[in-house]
Amino acid sequence: MTLYFSDSPQHPALLICELCRLFYDNNWVTGTGGGISIRDVDGPNPNIVYIAPSGIQKERLKPKEMFVAELPGKILRTPNDESTGQPLSADLAKDFKYKPSACTPLFLSCYNLRDAGACIHTHSQNAVMATLIFEDKVEFSMSHIEQIKALPQLAANPETGKIEKVGSMQYYDTMVLPIIENTPHEEDLTDTLQKAIKDYPNATAVLVRRHGIYVWGENVWKAKVYNEAIDYLLELAIKMHQNGIPLVKK
Amino acid sequence: MTLYFSDSPQHPALLICELCRLFYDNNWVTGTGGGISIRDVDGPNPNIVYIAPSGIQKERLKPKEMFVAELPGKILRTPNDESTGQPLSADLAKDFKYKPSACTPLFLSCYNLRDAGACIHTHSQNAVMATLIFEDKVEFSMSHIEQIKALPQLAANPETGKIEKVGSMQYYDTMVLPIIENTPHEEDLTDTLQKAIKDYPNATAVLVRRHGIYVWGENVWKAKVYNEAIDYLLELAIKMHQNGIPLVKK
Amino acid sequence: MTLYFSDSPQHPALLICELCRLFYDNNWVTGTGGGISIRDVDGPNPNIVYIAPSGIQKERLKPKEMFVAELPGKILRTPNDESTGQPLSADLAKDFKYKPSACTPLFLSCYNLRDAGACIHTHSQNAVMATLIFEDKVEFSMSHIEQIKALPQLAANPETGKIEKVGSMQYYDTMVLPIIENTPHEEDLTDTLQKAIKDYPNATAVLVRRHGIYVWGENVWKAKVYNEAIDYLLELAIKMHQNGIPLVKK
Amino acid sequence: MTLYFSDSPQHPALLICELCRLFYDNNWVTGTGGGISIRDVDGPNPNIVYIAPSGIQKERLKPKEMFVAELPGKILRTPNDESTGQPLSADLAKDFKYKPSACTPLFLSCYNLRDAGACIHTHSQNAVMATLIFEDKVEFSMSHIEQIKALPQLAANPETGKIEKVGSMQYYDTMVLPIIENTPHEEDLTDTLQKAIKDYPNATAVLVRRHGIYVWGENVWKAKVYNEAIDYLLELAIKMHQNGIPLVKK
């Protein structure tokens, strides 16, 4: 246990719990929806990632309920390891077995393809509505809103080829987010998510039609800020659409 | 008293108070609306059920204000039993007599017909609007939204005939909730609620036109999650309807 | 001071502060809008009423900032009485003088005409929108919604002529609230408010066009519950109107 | 340090943190958006102003992260001054250097041109939508709503020529707010903001198209109240517009 947990208020397992409570209040992860994963970028092994388990009330998560994996994808710990054989939360049935989040391969894709420090997945109604209003489109575009400046300007590092943050988007830039089609099983989104990440090197998020959004960032606070800024923009976009205002200014 | 109450944070009487405060913040039980009942599934007598009283501010409930009944329907305790003769809350008039919730026969129906572990009744505006938008329909249907997967897949046990959870609904499944007509007196809903529960063995909730919703689950946390997921879906459905997007995908 | 204040959690001056914080979170009293008054119905002199001062941030009120009056309308205490000569809140300018709320004559009207135990005034957007959507109407009507049952059924006592609560409204009853026209000065609403109270003996609230609502009840908790129920109904009414659903069912 | 900070709960650096948390909950400063500055009007040097830094999560600000300036515009302190060389928040990358808010010249304009005691800048969706719905207009006008009375009546002092508060706006007054066009760089708004402040001596706020709003007041609590009242009015205006109700009554 000492390997994976500590009482530091910045420990990934604690931050996952703190942020899930915040996301619950925003209606992003109600009904066990959504998920979050944080990479221990400042710890002794920055390839260690913490992942909230599947099918759990996100606002009531406890740090010891996390799965721990090592990149590129080896599970190091499951919360079922406990000697008692009981689930770690009184909310769960006595024979409950923790399962890794179905988001796990998707989170790993963001870590491995973009060197992310944290990944957030929500069922935000703004995200779902944006994919429904533009059900015939495969990308979502918006420009000329100040909040766009909260998002990173990304570019390939000429030496390593890696996509890196080189600044912030500008007010007049067009934010383009790919929309991928949902699949019956969440893990089956992996291929299309990876393709979207590669096809849209300027994006720090992918929308999933009728489902929600995946957002990642260099560290947990950047991922949180990008998620907030994108949700603000999607909320505004829906209002603009309803008022007949184009989302991209000529 | 020792029979019915304890200081355990998982005691049904305490959880009812905790959840009512949460539901109040969601605008589900304002103005004394709605109610909740929890069965003591992990206690020495799993047929004991706790029920919030009638006409009380739900967010200010105290554990000792609960009614206690034994299934199939015998009242074991009323909060008026106290020796002082005073109501248990300073919010109430001095001559106040607690009355069992008018939802009581409806909650008992969910316990007896579906072997539920908890029942939630709210006046959610999303539930009421869904019954008004489709005022000529007797059921509400929705498909192809990821959040549907938070709901249980139910089936009759071939040996006992009981409706049991056999898994989760799939993304492409159609959630169908029966809509029953409201009646002047809440207890008069009992017959049509029971009929709807029997006619819709795949449903874990019943909508009541111009009134709200009844949701139940295997235990209190499942009931809470189902209620959250269904309310999310109803909220989304109203937005989809206003944007001309069909609720069931062909 | 000992005459008017105590540390009891049910003391009117404390409850005013508690409820103003709640109302602020509901967007009912932001920007110093709205007000509340509670009558000390359980105290030694039930004709003592406490009134929040004018032009103050309602969510930051302190108990000692209240005005105290004796019915039918004598001011017994102003918060300016303090020997220090300083305002009681650090939010206020050093030369600030507390003024009684412009709602005072309106609150007194509810006390004197209806023997109310508490009066609430909010700038609820649902109330304002309801008066704007029906700008050519002098009353607001709504029927056949379960939440109407949270409101009192009122009738004249045949012996005293006083309007008293004789039960609860029924589901199929029509809630009718008078709408009075706003005036440049709030105190000038007194005559039309009093006329509306007399003309609508079944109402426990009066809407003020382009302004907000006045709600009263037998005691503070009843007034709070009526206010919540009416605001729920007004919010629903606006959604119904936007979806073309009649507010009164034939 | 002792020059600029104290533990007083009314110290500007503490109030900035308190208000930013409140504004975050209102969706006004999510995703690092917005900002706030307070002038130490009651301190030994009333020309000292405190300014939240740039690109920081506003709800997690700490008092020592503030910039301090002396009017008309000399920076006295940056949060990078600390001897440790580390950022003052664990949320930030180790090599993070605090930058003054891009709002700084705009806040200074409000201080210098209007003798303001505090300035608030938000990305309120109501403000952005108001500028989009009236994209062809250079000012926003609204009348005959009670909440307008929360705003100050301003007039030039005949002796000094300074714009000062001489009372409150009346119910029948028309609130007129200038709308300026957004620019790629926030500091480039300075000239047009200053022009708008001079051209609209009756306004205590300026809308920025597709961006947000700047609001100021005689002190921090007045600025907060004006901001709340204006946002309430903008929210109501959008609803009125959607229901075909004119914003200015004839």
Side-chain angles (χ1 to χ4, degrees):
Chain A
M1 288 301 283
T2 48
L3 180 60
Y4 303 128
F5 293 97
S6 82
D7 290 336
S8 160
Q10 293 284 325
H11 188 279
L14 274 170
L15 292 180
I16 287 176
C17 299
E18 176 184 339
L19 289 174
C20 279
R21 282 190 295 271
L22 177 66
F23 295 172
Y24 178 82
D25 289 337
N26 282 345
N27 203 22
W28 287 340
V29 296
T30 54
T32 80
I36 180 169
S37 171
I38 300 178
R39 183 172 172 176
D40 194 16
V41 280
D42 291 327
N45 179 353
N47 282 328
I48 298 285
V49 298
Y50 293 76
I51 309 170
S54 171
I56 304 286
Q57 296 179 84
K58 294 297 179 291
E59 82 280 15
R60 296 175 68 91
L61 271 179
K62 295 177 190 64
K64 293 205 175 171
E65 292 185 281
M66 301 301 149
F67 282 78
V68 183
E70 186 174 24
L71 296 179
K74 181 187 171 192
I75 298 289
L76 296 181
R77 177 194 184 261
T78 82
N80 298 313
D81 290 348
E82 303 308 314
S83 54
T84 66
Q86 295 296 319
L88 296 164
S89 162
D91 303 356
L92 301 168
K94 291 207 189 310
D95 59 351
F96 183 86
K97 290 294 165 203
Y98 290 93
K99 284 183 292 187
S101 169
C103 306
T104 302
L106 304 161
F107 288 154
L108 294 175
S109 300
C110 300
Y111 288 126
N112 291 321
L113 292 178
R114 282 291 183 86
D115 209 23
C119 305
I120 293 168
H121 169 52
T122 81
H123 287 187
S124 159
Q125 296 224 346
N126 295 321
V128 174
M129 279 307 293
T131 69
L132 286 167
I133 286 174
F134 302 107
E135 190 142 26
D136 56 341
K137 298 242 170 65
V138 297
E139 55 188 40
F140 174 89
S141 300
M142 192 169 188
S143 81
H144 289 84
I145 300 294
E146 182 72 7
Q147 189 82 338
I148 287 172
K149 291 165 67 172
L151 296 175
Q153 187 185 357
L154 301 171
N157 182 316
E159 293 185 24
T160 64
K162 273 188 181 180
I163 302 297
E164 290 175 0
K165 181 179 175 187
V166 295
S168 296
M169 289 188 75
Q170 301 292 310
Y171 163 66
Y172 46 74
D173 284 340
T174 299
M175 174 185 78
V176 180
L177 300 180
I179 306 173
I180 63 176
E181 301 305 316
N182 200 26
T183 51
H185 299 287
E186 196 148 12
E187 52 270 36
D188 295 338
L189 287 173
T190 310
D191 286 352
T192 47
L193 184 88
Q194 290 188 353
K195 185 172 186 309
I197 289 174
K198 290 174 189 161
D199 289 351
Y200 289 82
N202 296 321
T204 198
V206 174
L207 289 161
V208 186
R209 182 118 45 218
R210 296 172 169 274
H211 180 155
I213 192 166
Y214 281 85
V215 183
W216 60 90
E218 309 94 275
N219 59 48
V220 58
W221 300 113
K222 291 291 182 184
K224 168 183 173 286
V225 163
Y226 300 159
N227 182 51
E228 284 175 2
I230 292 170
D231 206 74
Y232 170 102
L233 290 165
L234 294 170
E235 179 184 347
L236 187 65
I238 294 162
K239 296 177 190 168
M240 291 171 71
H241 177 77
Q242 287 171 336
N243 283 278
I245 301 163
L247 301 192
V248 176
K249 199 181 167 195
K250 301 284 157 55
Chain B
M1 287 301 281
T2 49
L3 179 62
Y4 303 128
F5 293 96
S6 81
D7 290 336
S8 160
Q10 294 285 324
H11 188 279
L14 275 169
L15 292 180
I16 286 175
C17 300
E18 176 184 339
L19 289 174
C20 280
R21 283 190 294 271
L22 177 66
F23 295 171
Y24 179 82
D25 289 336
N26 281 346
N27 204 22
W28 287 339
V29 297
T30 55
T32 79
I36 179 168
S37 171
I38 301 179
R39 183 172 171 175
D40 194 16
V41 280
D42 291 327
N45 179 354
N47 282 327
I48 298 285
V49 297
Y50 292 77
I51 308 170
S54 172
I56 303 287
Q57 297 179 82
K58 294 296 179 292
E59 81 281 15
R60 297 176 66 92
L61 271 179
K62 294 176 191 64
K64 294 204 175 171
E65 292 183 282
M66 301 301 149
F67 282 79
V68 183
E70 186 174 22
L71 297 179
K74 181 187 172 193
I75 298 289
L76 298 181
R77 177 193 184 261
T78 83
N80 297 315
D81 290 348
E82 304 307 316
S83 54
T84 68
Q86 295 297 318
L88 297 164
S89 163
D91 303 355
L92 301 168
K94 289 207 190 311
D95 58 350
F96 183 86
K97 290 293 166 204
Y98 291 93
K99 283 183 292 186
S101 170
C103 305
T104 303
L106 303 162
F107 289 154
L108 294 176
S109 300
C110 301
Y111 288 126
N112 292 321
L113 293 178
R114 281 290 183 88
D115 208 24
C119 305
I120 294 167
H121 170 51
T122 82
H123 287 187
S124 159
Q125 295 224 346
N126 296 320
V128 175
M129 279 306 294
T131 69
L132 286 167
I133 287 174
F134 303 107
E135 191 143 25
D136 55 341
K137 297 240 170 69
V138 297
E139 56 187 39
F140 174 89
S141 301
M142 192 170 189
S143 80
H144 289 84
I145 299 293
E146 182 71 8
Q147 190 81 337
I148 288 173
K149 290 165 68 173
L151 297 176
Q153 187 186 356
L154 301 170
N157 181 316
E159 292 185 23
T160 64
K162 274 188 182 178
I163 303 295
E164 291 176 359
K165 181 180 174 187
V166 294
S168 296
M169 288 188 76
Q170 300 291 310
Y171 164 66
Y172 46 74
D173 283 340
T174 300
M175 174 184 77
V176 180
L177 300 181
I179 306 174
I180 63 175
E181 301 306 316
N182 200 27
T183 53
H185 299 288
E186 196 147 11
E187 52 269 35
D188 295 338
L189 287 172
T190 311
D191 286 351
T192 47
L193 183 88
Q194 291 188 352
K195 184 172 187 310
I197 289 175
K198 290 174 190 161
D199 289 351
Y200 289 82
N202 297 320
T204 197
V206 173
L207 289 160
V208 186
R209 182 118 46 218
R210 297 173 168 273
H211 180 155
I213 191 166
Y214 281 85
V215 183
W216 61 89
E218 308 95 275
N219 59 49
V220 59
W221 300 113
K222 291 291 183 184
K224 168 182 173 285
V225 163
Y226 299 159
N227 182 50
E228 285 175 2
I230 291 170
D231 206 74
Y232 171 102
L233 289 165
L234 295 170
E235 178 184 349
L236 186 66
I238 294 163
K239 296 178 190 168
M240 290 171 71
H241 178 77
Q242 286 171 336
N243 282 278
I245 301 163
L247 301 192
V248 176
K249 200 182 166 195
K250 301 284 157 54
Chain C
M1 288 300 283
T2 48
L3 179 61
Y4 304 128
F5 293 98
S6 81
D7 290 337
S8 159
Q10 293 285 324
H11 189 278
L14 275 170
L15 292 180
I16 287 176
C17 299
E18 175 184 338
L19 289 174
C20 279
R21 282 191 295 272
L22 176 67
F23 295 171
Y24 179 81
D25 290 336
N26 281 348
N27 203 22
W28 287 340
V29 296
T30 56
T32 79
I36 178 168
S37 171
I38 301 178
R39 183 172 171 175
D40 195 17
V41 280
D42 292 326
N45 179 354
N47 282 327
I48 298 286
V49 297
Y50 293 77
I51 308 171
S54 171
I56 303 286
Q57 299 179 81
K58 294 296 179 292
E59 81 281 15
R60 298 174 66 92
L61 271 180
K62 294 176 192 63
K64 293 206 174 171
E65 292 184 282
M66 302 300 148
F67 282 79
V68 183
E70 185 174 24
L71 296 179
K74 180 187 173 194
I75 299 288
L76 296 182
R77 176 193 185 262
T78 83
N80 299 313
D81 290 348
E82 305 307 316
S83 55
T84 67
Q86 295 296 317
L88 297 164
S89 163
D91 303 355
L92 301 168
K94 292 207 189 309
D95 58 351
F96 183 86
K97 291 293 165 205
Y98 291 93
K99 283 182 293 187
S101 170
C103 305
T104 303
L106 303 160
F107 290 154
L108 294 175
S109 300
C110 301
Y111 288 125
N112 292 321
L113 292 178
R114 282 291 183 87
D115 207 24
C119 306
I120 294 168
H121 169 52
T122 82
H123 287 188
S124 159
Q125 296 224 346
N126 295 321
V128 175
M129 279 305 295
T131 69
L132 286 168
I133 287 175
F134 302 107
E135 191 143 25
D136 54 341
K137 298 240 170 68
V138 297
E139 56 189 39
F140 173 90
S141 301
M142 191 169 189
S143 80
H144 289 83
I145 300 293
E146 182 71 9
Q147 190 81 337
I148 288 173
K149 290 164 69 173
L151 297 175
Q153 188 185 355
L154 301 171
N157 181 316
E159 293 184 23
T160 64
K162 273 189 182 178
I163 303 295
E164 292 175 359
K165 181 179 175 188
V166 295
S168 297
M169 289 187 76
Q170 301 291 309
Y171 163 66
Y172 45 74
D173 283 341
T174 299
M175 174 185 79
V176 180
L177 301 180
I179 306 174
I180 64 176
E181 300 307 315
N182 201 27
T183 53
H185 299 288
E186 196 148 11
E187 52 270 34
D188 295 338
L189 287 172
T190 310
D191 286 351
T192 48
L193 183 88
Q194 290 187 354
K195 184 173 187 309
I197 290 174
K198 289 173 191 162
D199 289 350
Y200 289 82
N202 296 320
T204 197
V206 173
L207 289 160
V208 186
R209 182 117 47 217
R210 295 173 170 272
H211 181 155
I213 191 166
Y214 281 85
V215 183
W216 60 89
E218 308 94 274
N219 59 48
V220 60
W221 300 113
K222 291 291 181 184
K224 170 181 171 287
V225 162
Y226 299 159
N227 182 50
E228 285 176 2
I230 292 169
D231 206 73
Y232 170 103
L233 290 165
L234 294 170
E235 178 185 347
L236 186 67
I238 294 162
K239 296 179 191 170
M240 290 171 71
H241 177 77
Q242 287 171 336
N243 282 277
I245 301 163
L247 302 192
V248 176
K249 201 181 165 194
K250 303 282 156 57
Chain D
M1 287 301 285
T2 48
L3 180 60
Y4 303 128
F5 293 98
S6 81
D7 291 335
S8 159
Q10 294 284 325
H11 188 279
L14 274 171
L15 292 181
I16 287 176
C17 300
E18 176 183 340
L19 290 174
C20 279
R21 281 191 295 272
L22 176 67
F23 294 173
Y24 178 82
D25 290 337
N26 281 346
N27 204 23
W28 288 339
V29 297
T30 56
T32 79
I36 179 168
S37 170
I38 301 178
R39 183 174 172 174
D40 194 17
V41 279
D42 291 327
N45 180 354
N47 283 327
I48 298 285
V49 297
Y50 293 77
I51 309 170
S54 170
I56 303 287
Q57 298 178 83
K58 294 296 178 291
E59 82 280 16
R60 297 175 66 92
L61 272 179
K62 294 175 190 64
K64 294 207 174 169
E65 292 185 281
M66 302 300 149
F67 282 78
V68 183
E70 186 173 23
L71 296 180
K74 181 187 172 194
I75 298 288
L76 297 181
R77 176 193 184 261
T78 83
N80 299 314
D81 291 351
E82 303 307 316
S83 55
T84 67
Q86 296 295 318
L88 297 165
S89 163
D91 304 355
L92 301 168
K94 290 205 190 310
D95 58 351
F96 183 87
K97 291 293 166 205
Y98 291 93
K99 284 183 292 188
S101 170
C103 305
T104 303
L106 304 161
F107 289 153
L108 294 175
S109 300
C110 301
Y111 289 126
N112 291 321
L113 292 178
R114 282 289 183 87
D115 208 23
C119 305
I120 294 168
H121 169 51
T122 81
H123 287 187
S124 159
Q125 295 224 348
N126 295 321
V128 175
M129 279 307 294
T131 69
L132 286 168
I133 286 175
F134 302 107
E135 191 142 26
D136 55 341
K137 298 239 170 68
V138 298
E139 56 188 37
F140 173 91
S141 300
M142 192 169 188
S143 81
H144 289 84
I145 300 293
E146 181 73 8
Q147 190 82 337
I148 287 172
K149 290 164 69 173
L151 296 175
Q153 187 186 354
L154 302 170
N157 182 316
E159 294 186 23
T160 64
K162 274 189 181 179
I163 302 296
E164 291 174 0
K165 181 179 175 186
V166 295
S168 298
M169 290 187 75
Q170 300 292 309
Y171 163 65
Y172 47 74
D173 283 341
T174 300
M175 173 184 79
V176 180
L177 301 181
I179 305 173
I180 63 175
E181 302 304 317
N182 200 26
T183 52
H185 299 286
E186 195 149 11
E187 51 270 35
D188 295 338
L189 287 173
T190 311
D191 286 352
T192 46
L193 184 88
Q194 289 187 355
K195 184 173 189 310
I197 290 174
K198 289 173 190 160
D199 289 351
Y200 290 82
N202 296 320
T204 196
V206 173
L207 289 159
V208 186
R209 183 119 43 218
R210 297 173 169 273
H211 180 155
I213 192 166
Y214 281 84
V215 183
W216 61 89
E218 309 94 274
N219 59 48
V220 58
W221 300 114
K222 290 290 183 185
K224 169 183 172 285
V225 162
Y226 299 159
N227 182 50
E228 284 175 2
I230 292 170
D231 206 74
Y232 170 103
L233 290 165
L234 294 170
E235 178 184 348
L236 186 66
I238 295 163
K239 295 178 192 170
M240 290 171 71
H241 177 78
Q242 287 171 335
N243 283 277
I245 302 162
L247 302 192
V248 176
K249 201 182 166 193
K250 303 280 156 61

